[in-house]
Amino acid sequence: MSDLLDLDALKRLLDVIGGEAEDFDELRDEFIETSPDLIETLQQAAAHTDLDAMRVASHSLKGNARDFGATALAELSAALETACKSGDVDGAIQLLSQVTEAEKAARHALLSIEASNLG
Amino acid sequence: MVLLSIAAVFGVVEWIAADRASTAMAAKLERVLATQSSVLADPLWNLAREQIDLTATAIMLDRDVAELRVRDEDDKLVLSQSRVNSTDGLRNNKVEIAFEGEAIGTLEIFLSNERLIAERSERLTVAAVLAGVLLLAVMVAVLISNRLVVGRPLERLLVGIQASETDGPREPVDWQTRDELGEVIAAFNRMTAERDEHERGLEAARADLEVRVQERTRDLAKASTQLTEAIESMTDGFMLFDANDQLVIHNSTYVEKMYPKTADLVKIGDSFEKIIGETVAAGLVVDAVGQEEDWLKRRIASHENPRGAYVQKRANGTWLRINERKTEDGGTVATFTDITELQEAREEAEAANEAKSSFLATMSHEIRTPLNGIMGMSTLLRGTELNDEQRDFSETIATAADTLLMIINDILDFSKVEAGALELENHPVDVSELVEQALDLVVSKAGDQGIELASRVGPGVPDGILGDPTRLKQILMNLLNNAVKFTEVGEVVLTIERTETGESPSVGTVVPVRFSVRDTGIGIPADRMNRLFKSFSQVDASTTRKYGGTGLGLAITKRLVELMGGDIRVESEVGRGAEFSFEIEVEAAPVPDRKKREDRIRNLKAKRALIVDDNRTNRLILQEKLKEWGMFAETYGEPEQALTAELSTFDVLILDYKMPTMTGADLAIAIKSKTGAKTPPMVLFSSVGQVESSLRNEIEKIGFDGVLTKPAKSGHLLDLLSRVVAGDTKTETTRSASTPVVQGDLEIHLVDDNRINRKVGSKILAANGFAADLVASGKEAIEAVKAKPYDVVLMDIEMPEMDGLTATGLIHDALDVAQRPYIVALTANAMASERDTYLRSGMDDYLSKPIDVEALIRALATARTFRAKRQSGAAT
C-alpha cells in the first residue's frame, strides 16, 4: 500500500474504536477534511508570525497524524510544535513547508485506505 | 741405578774373569810343576848342580814364575831362584821329585800375580771405559728416550689442549703408548672425544632447534596465510577488533559488502566508533538516516554488548545480517552476511503466501455466493406448496448446501490455521452468551436425536472474559457437534469451570478456566485417540461414511485451542462416552452490554423497510435478517419500480449503490425530489471499495443517513438501523457527535479542541459501551459541569485559550467536593515527569494519547469507585 502510513497504527485505531469499518472510514474522511484546514491555519499564523497559534495547530496536527499512522507528518509536526514553543521563528517557517508537504503526502496515502482492507 | 747396575755387571764380569785367570794360573802351576819335577829328577839324583841351575833358570824364564824352590829329600833347600821380594800372597804349590819311584826332593813354585793384576787392571780399565761409554750411552739414551717418550707426547698433548680451547671438532692426540703418558693422553683423548661428542650433540641440538624454529616460523606463516586466505575466501564479511576496539583484520568481502564505493572508510587500527560513525555520516545505513545520534548510541551499545544477530539495510539496497561476538581477550569478531537474496526470497514467499490466502479467500467467497443462493432458494422453496417427494428433494438440497458450506468454512479455516494466518481477536466475551450461542447451534439436532443437552458455568468463572468470541464459539460448537453426532442415547454436557476455586475475579485478573464437553456416546478406542486430532482423519473410514464430516473439525479445534495457549485432551471409554477438555488462561473483562443489543432489536420491531437491490440473493438475505428482528421488509429488484411505492410509509429505505440502470445515489435524489421532507431515513448499501472517498461527501449531501459496506455484519446493520429508525427519525440529531447519548453507567464529559480527537474518543467510548458529551474548549467544559453532574471528565491538556490544567482548577473552584467529577488528563506529551504536574493541579488520573483502551477502562473503573465514595460521602 504505502510507506507513508504505519498500517499497524491504523489497525490499532480501527480496533480501539470498536472495529466497525464505517466508523473508521468516517474518521479517515474527517482527517482528510480537517488537516488541510490545519495547514491553512498554520500558514496564516505563520504569515502573522503568530507562534502561539502555530503551536496549537501543529499540536492538533501531530495528534491526528499519530492516530492515523502518518509517522513522518507526526514527527515533523512535533518538531514544528517544539520550534514554536522555543520561539524559533526561522525554524518554524522552515518546518512548515516540510509539514505542508508531509500533510499532502499523508492525506493522499490515506485516500486509498479502507477499513475493510486493513484487517 | 744405571751406575750401580753397570758396576754390578762389571763386578760380576771381573769376578768371572779373575776366577778364570786364577784357574788358568793354577793349571799352569800344576803343568809347570809336573813337567819340571820330572826334568829335575835326574839332575837331582846325580847332584848335577849345574843342570839344576839351568833347569831352574829355564823355569824362571817363565814370567809367571815368581820363585822356585827345590828341596832335597831332607827338605834342605837346594836351589831357590826368585824375582820377587816376597812371596806373600802368591800362589804356590809343590810336587815331589821322584826318581825311579823314590822321592828325592820337592819342587815348589810360586807363581807371580803380576800378570793377573795387569790383566785385572786392564780389564778394569776396559770395564771403566766400557762403563763410561755405557753410562754415556745410557744417559744419551735416557735423554733421547725422555725426549721421545715424554716430550713429544707432552708437546702433542699441549697442542691438543690448546686446540681444545678453540671451537670445532678436535683431532685426537696421536700418541698410542701403554705408559702413563699414553694413558693420560688416551684419557685426554677420551675426554676430548666426549667433549666433542657432547659439543656435537649440542651442535646437533642447536641445529635441530634452529630447524624447528624455522619449521615453526614456516608453519606459523603458513597458518597465518591459511587463516588470511580462509577469512578472505569467506562469502561473509569479517572484522576483528581487539580489546581496545581497534580494527585488527578484515576481509575484502567486508569492504565490498559494506563500502562498495567508500573503501577508504575502513583502516586497520581505526576504532569501531570511528568506522561506524563515518559509515553513518556517509549515509550508508538506511535506518540511521535522520536519527544518526540515537542510532549510533544503540549500535555502539549493541557492539559492546552483542546480543544475537540483527539485520541492517544498507543504502545500496543490500540487506546484511550482522553477527557480533566477544572474543576471550575482550575483542569483538563481527561477520556480515548478505541476506539480500534471502530477504527478497522472503518477500516473494510472503507475497506468494498472500496470493494464496487471497486466492483461498476469493475462492471461498466465490463458492459461498452461489451457495447462499442455493440455501436461500431451498428455504423459499420449502415455503411453497410441495408434495412429499418435492419436499424431500428440497430438504436434501438444503442439507447438502449446509454440509457444503460447513466443509468450505472448515477448509478455509484449516488453510488459515496451517498457514499461520489465523490471528485471534481480543474482545470482551460474555461467557453465558457464548454458552447459549454454542448450544443454540446443536440444540435442534440434539432434540431430533432425543438426547439431553445441558450446560454448567461453575462458580468463580468471570461473567466476561477477553478472547476471540467467534473462535471460542467455533471450538465449543465443534466439540458439541461431534458429541451430539456420536451420541445416540443419553446426554451431552458443556461445562466451564475454574480449575482453582476463588471469587469471581476483578477485571484485568487472569485466571485459568477449563472448558469441557462430555457425552455418553459410542466413545473412542484407545488406539485411535492419537489420530483423532489429525487432519482428514476420523476414528475410521466407516465412521466417516456413517456420520459424515470433513474430519477437519477436531484438527482445527486443536489448533485454535493451541493458539489460545491451551492443549486439548480427550478421555474416553468405548461404549461409555468421551470427554474433550482444554484449559486456557483468560483475563476477566467487563461484560459487553447485551441489554443494549436487545433494546435495539426491540426498537426495530414492526418497523417497515424498503430494500432496493438488483441482486436477488442480497435482497433475500437482507430480508431474512430484518425479519429476524421483527421488521417488515419489502423488496424491489429495479429502482424504477421502487419509485412507484408509497415511500413515505416506510421507516427506512435501504438502497444498493451499484445497480445496472441507476446508482443508489441517483435513486436517492429521485426519491428526495418525489417525497421531499417526508423522505424516510436512507441507508446506502455498497460493495467494498465502491464508495470512493470523493463520493462520500456527495452521499452525505444527498442526505443518506448511513453507508453500509457489503457484506454487512449483522451487528453493524443492527446499530445503523436502530440509530436511523428508532426514535424521532425525521431529525438527524443522532448523527451529531456532540449530542449526548446516555449509555453505560457513567456520565462522561470529553473535552478536546481537536475535532478528530473528540470523534476518536467518543468512538472508543462507544465501542466499550459508554456514551460521552463532547465539547471543544475548557470554557464550555466548565459551563457543562456546572449545568449537569458528570462522573468523569476526560480533559485534553493542550488547548488554545484555556488549557486543561486551568479548566481543571476552575472546575475545582466552581464545584463542591461532593459534586466534582473524576478528572482524567489526556495528553500527547507522554512524559512521566509531567504526570505529577497534572496530579498536583487537581487531576485525578492521567492517560497518554493515543488512548490505550485498557488504560481508559481502568481509569473509568477507578472513576466508578470514586463516584461510589463521593456518593456515600455526600449521604453522610
Side-chain angles (χ1 to χ4, degrees), chain A residues 43-88:
Chain A
Q43 275 163 349
Q44 282 182 4
H48 298 98
T49 28
D50 183 353
L51 281 185
D52 202 50
M54 281 181 85
R55 179 182 59 77
V56 172
S58 59
H59 179 79
S60 289
L61 195 55
K62 176 186 75 176
N64 297 349
R66 278 188 191 162
D67 280 340
F68 286 89
T71 318
L73 178 59
E75 276 171 15
L76 286 165
S77 306
L80 178 56
E81 190 189 356
T82 313
C84 293
K85 270 186 196 163
S86 57
D88 177 9

Side-chain angles (χ1 to χ4, degrees), chain B residues 806-818:
Chain B
T806 314
T808 302
L810 289 170
I811 290 172
H812 272 267
D813 292 345
L815 297 175
D816 291 344
V817 180

Side-chain angles (χ1 to χ4, degrees), chain A residues 95-106:
Chain A
L95 279 163
L96 178 55
S97 66
Q98 286 177 271
V99 166
T100 308
E101 285 305 308
E103 187 276 334
K104 204 182 280 173

Side-chain angles (χ1 to χ4, degrees), chain A residues 12 26 29-30 34 64 111, chain B residues 693 696 754-755 759 851:
Chain A
R12 185 187 164 278
E26 187 191 328
D29 291 347
E30 188 82 41
T34 57
N64 297 349
L111 277 171
Chain B
S693 53
R696 290 190 162 254
N754 185 328
R755 192 144 64 111
K759 282 209 165 184
I851 293 171

Side-chain angles (χ1 to χ4, degrees), chain A residues 11-13 15-35 37-38 52 55-57 59-64 66-68 75 81 85 110-114 116-117 119, chain B residues 426-427 688-694 696-697 705-709 713 715-716 719-720 723 735 753-757 759-760 763-768 796 798-801 827-830 849-853:
Chain A
K11 283 178 193 163
R12 185 187 164 278
L13 178 63
D15 192 42
V16 296
I17 62 169
E20 292 295 356
E22 194 207 22
D23 289 340
F24 177 87
D25 293 347
E26 187 191 328
L27 283 174
R28 180 206 57 196
D29 291 347
E30 188 82 41
F31 177 87
I32 289 167
E33 247 179 72
T34 57
S35 66
D37 297 348
L38 282 168
D52 202 50
R55 179 182 59 77
V56 172
H59 179 79
S60 289
L61 195 55
K62 176 186 75 176
N64 297 349
R66 278 188 191 162
D67 280 340
F68 286 89
E75 276 171 15
E81 190 189 356
K85 270 186 196 163
L110 268 171
L111 277 171
S112 64
I113 298 284
E114 292 263 348
S116 47
N117 46 37
Chain B
N426 226 16
H427 297 306
V688 180
Q690 274 181 1
V691 184
E692 300 290 327
S693 53
S694 55
R696 290 190 162 254
N697 294 337
D705 295 83
V707 178
L708 272 178
T709 311
K713 288 183 193 166
H716 195 176
D719 288 351
L720 182 61
R723 198 184 71 204
R735 292 285 295 136
D753 63 309
N754 185 328
R755 192 144 64 111
I756 290 180
N757 283 351
K759 282 209 165 184
V760 170
K763 284 187 191 303
I764 294 174
L765 288 166
N768 290 283
D796 183 27
E798 296 273 347
M799 289 187 288
E801 290 163 31
T827 177
N829 298 334
K849 286 197 276 192
I851 293 171
D852 175 30
V853 175

